[in-house]
Amino acid sequence: MSIEVNNETTAKIDAREFVDLARYVFDAMFLHPATELSITFVDESAMSDLHEEWMDLEGPTDVMSFPMDELREGSEGELAPEGLLGDIVICPTVAATQARIAGHSTEEEMLLLLTHGILHLLGYDHVEPEDERVMFTLQRKLLLTFLAGRTSRVGISDTGGPRP
């Protein structure tokens, strides 16, 4: 697995934690060991630019996902083909605001956003209510089981996914 983390902000980012989570999700979703992912942390200005360019919406958002090879999850008997999963861009300052509202840490919010972004890259969406239920249930399960394996972590709220 090749997971690259770039921090273009002044926020303190524990790159290892994000790589560990991505690897955990890759394993849980039966992705090929040679799957590649890029995670970039940006400031509100850069996120606003991306949000407007790609979504035609003003202002910063919390996370954006840019799929590359349109990979889908594999199964226990058959791993997904290798390839470039895509790019995930996270805005720590937007995450910090959401974390305060949700009552957990900014790092936990950003881990939630990374999980959310990876699921989007794998084709999950939350436009329709049933799709939202499926995606957010899987997102919660992946993140909570990852955090449960971390004795130094406090649990994250399991009330849902990223707030709009």
Side-chain angles (χ1 to χ4, degrees), residues 12 31 41 46 48 66 68 80 97 102 105:
K12 185 176 183 227
L31 299 184
F41 296 90
S48 292
F66 299 94
M68 297 298 186
T97 299
S105 74

Side-chain angles (χ1 to χ4, degrees), residues 17 22 29-30 33 48-49 52 60 72 76-77 94 101 103 107 114 120 123 133 137 146-147 150 155:
E17 190 76 2
M29 302 303 286
F30 301 102
S48 292
D49 291 345
E52 187 167 336
R72 296 298 178 253
E76 193 166 347
V94 173
I101 293 167
E107 182 177 81
L114 175 59
H120 272 307
R133 185 191 66 73
T137 297
F146 171 77
L147 290 174
R150 299 289 205 234

